[in-house]
């Protein structure tokens, strides 16, 4: 089969031919139709988290079941399915026994611990597959397997109720979905971004208010709007994230889904006085992915995608930050 591999740490992706994988017991082979290009693919490219090279990256996968191994009971050839970041769990650790599969001590990551979707086929355990609703094309479903599930999951667990003010910081691959999800969930949605170039699209996606972060403190701007019950930060900028705390209403919560790997400067006073909090959110499992896609199909949430052939993976990866808003490799 045709595939794209990371072969050397921080080296360019290589387009090559590799043996088509065969599903073992409890595994399913997926014929990949679409795979999103995500910042998380840097892990395989850079050889991080113990990845063994060569490795096929890609964890925003949508396709069709092609073959099943022994013992597979939930899936049949022809089923439309998605595969996301979460590539498996042990079922036996304390987290798994409590149903908290994403915090499994031996959790697996697709495209890191196993080959991903930059290929014609991929093989995964049957329990990591999510069913794609008919209302979504496979090109639309692919980005929902990471960018979609992350924003949807964080928002639905954030504590905000319909009518509450919710801010989405960053209008990119994650943020443009976060705005749509927040609007469809019934929140008063505030979009935050640098400059005004994306104000029009933010409002078209569902933002009720827009804050230009180049015009002063975003936290102060949110406070003038009455304060946000929940702020979702999709931009890895620790200083900006620290400023957002000023814009939280009492009992408000800032949740980070993007990091630049430096401390967030937050003093204790706004946390103590007002019981504000800062936390993070990490992806989700296959049922979470199904929920994110089902909600999108029901309410009209759709990723804005640009499609490219598999052979363009290196060029697409290099220009990822310029995507409007999610790049998808198609096969």
């Amino acid at each position: 089969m045709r595939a794209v591999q990371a072969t050397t740490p921080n080296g360019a992706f290589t387009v090559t031919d590799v043996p088509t994988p065969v599903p073992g017991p409890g595994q399913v082979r997926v014929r990949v139709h679409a795979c999103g290009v995500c910042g998380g693919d840097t892990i395989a490219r850079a050889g991080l988290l113990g990845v063994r090279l060569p490795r096929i990256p890609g964890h925003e996968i949508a396709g069709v079941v092609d073959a099943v191994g022994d013992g597979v009971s939930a899936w049949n050839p022809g089923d439309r399915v998605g595969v996301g970041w979460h590539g498996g769990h042990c079922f036996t650790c304390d987290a798994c026994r409590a149903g908290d599969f994403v915090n499994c001590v031996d959790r697996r990551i697709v495209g890191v611990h196993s080959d991903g979707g930059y290929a014609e086929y991929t093989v995964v355990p049957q329990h990591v597959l999510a069913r794609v609703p008919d209302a979504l094309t496979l090109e639309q479903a692919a980005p929902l397997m990471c960018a979609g599930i992350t924003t949807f999951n964080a928002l639905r667990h954030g504590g905000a109720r319909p009518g509450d003010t919710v801010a989405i910081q960053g209008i990119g691959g994650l943020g443009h979905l976060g705005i749509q999800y927040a609007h469809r969930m019934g929140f008063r949605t505030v979009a935050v971004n640098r400059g005004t170039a994306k104000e029009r699209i933010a409002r078209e996606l569902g933002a009720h208010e827009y804050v230009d972060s180049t015009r002063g403190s975003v936290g102060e701007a949110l406070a003038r709007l009455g304060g946000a019950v929940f702020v979702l930060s999709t931009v890895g900028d620790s200083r900006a994230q620290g400023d957002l705390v000023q814009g939280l209403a009492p009992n408000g919560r800032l949740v980070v889904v993007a990091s630049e790997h430096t401390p967030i400067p937050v003093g204790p006073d706004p946390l103590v006085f007002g019981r504000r909090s800062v936390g993070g959110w990490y992806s989700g499992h296959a049922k979470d992915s199904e929920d994110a896609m089902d909600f999108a199909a029901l309410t009209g949430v759709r990723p804005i995608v640009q499609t490219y052939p598999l052979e363009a993976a290196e060029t697409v990866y290099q220009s990822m930050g310029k995507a409007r808003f999610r790049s998808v490799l198609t096969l």
Side-chain angles (χ1 to χ4, degrees):
M1 68 173 184
R2 204 71 171 151
V4 171
Q5 290 182 324
T7 57
T8 59
N10 296 309
F13 290 137
T14 301
V15 182
T16 186
D17 291 317
V18 299
T20 302
V22 177
Q27 293 183 326
V28 172
R29 185 170 68 198
V30 177
R31 172 71 169 91
V32 179
H33 285 245
C35 185
V37 177
C38 178
D41 298 335
T42 300
I43 295 173
R45 186 183 181 90
L48 304 175
L49 297 184
V51 64
R52 295 183 179 180
L53 301 178
R55 176 65 74 209
I56 298 171
H59 57 270
E60 290 186 342
I61 305 167
V64 175
V65 172
D66 172 72
V68 300
D70 292 341
V72 172
S73 57
W75 306 98
N76 297 294
D79 289 344
R80 301 169 80 240
V81 295
V83 182
W85 175 271
H86 186 71
H89 44 273
C90 73
F91 291 100
T92 58
C93 71
D94 285 348
C96 284
R97 292 173 66 198
D100 189 9
F101 299 127
V102 296
N103 284 316
C104 172
V105 297
D106 192 31
R107 64 175 177 256
R108 316 297 288 170
I109 301 172
V110 174
V112 175
H113 302 118
S114 61
D115 283 335
Y118 284 24
E120 293 180 300
Y121 297 90
T122 189
V123 166
V124 296
Q126 64 171 330
H127 64 272
V128 309
L129 288 172
R131 199 172 299 277
V132 176
D134 292 338
L136 298 177
T137 68
L138 294 175
E139 291 80 8
Q140 292 170 335
L144 299 184
M145 299 307 300
C146 182
I149 181 183
T150 300
T151 53
F152 172 80
N153 235 1
L155 284 163
R156 70 169 172 170
H157 291 291
R161 298 181 296 181
D164 285 343
T165 297
V166 169
I168 309 297
Q169 180 217 21
I171 307 173
L174 281 81
H176 91 287
L177 289 168
I179 291 170
Q180 294 181 70
Y181 277 125
H183 175 81
R184 303 316 196 275
M185 289 178 184
F187 305 140
R188 178 195 181 202
T189 305
V190 182
V192 178
N193 203 71
R194 290 182 58 83
T196 59
K198 293 184 178 180
E199 180 174 2
R200 180 177 177 180
I201 185 65
R203 293 188 182 277
E204 290 174 354
L205 293 172
H208 301 98
E209 307 284 351
Y210 185 89
V211 175
D212 176 1
S213 63
T214 66
R215 300 187 65 181
S217 167
V218 172
E220 293 177 1
L222 291 176
R224 288 193 294 271
L225 291 172
V229 171
F230 183 81
V231 177
L232 179 65
S233 173
T234 72
V235 177
D237 184 331
S238 296
R239 184 173 181 179
Q241 289 163 344
D243 174 62
L244 288 168
V245 174
Q246 299 181 67
L248 292 176
N251 298 306
R253 185 181 179 197
L254 166 66
V255 167
V256 174
V257 296
S259 170
E260 65 175 359
H261 312 294
T262 60
I264 298 174
V266 178
D269 286 355
L271 305 182
V272 174
F273 301 105
R275 296 192 300 239
R276 299 168 181 87
S277 63
V278 178
W281 194 264
Y282 178 78
S283 188
H285 49 66
K287 186 60 173 69
D288 294 325
S289 294
E290 286 191 357
D291 291 349
M293 288 190 289
D294 287 344
F295 186 88
L298 178 69
T299 63
V301 172
R302 296 293 187 273
I304 298 174
V305 302
Q306 296 172 303
T307 60
Y308 303 88
L310 179 67
E311 289 74 15
E314 176 64 21
T315 301
V316 175
Y317 177 86
Q318 293 288 358
S319 60
M320 184 167 28
K322 300 177 182 178
R324 193 153 176 117
F325 285 94
R326 211 68 181 172
S327 296
V328 175
L329 302 176
T330 57
L331 295 95

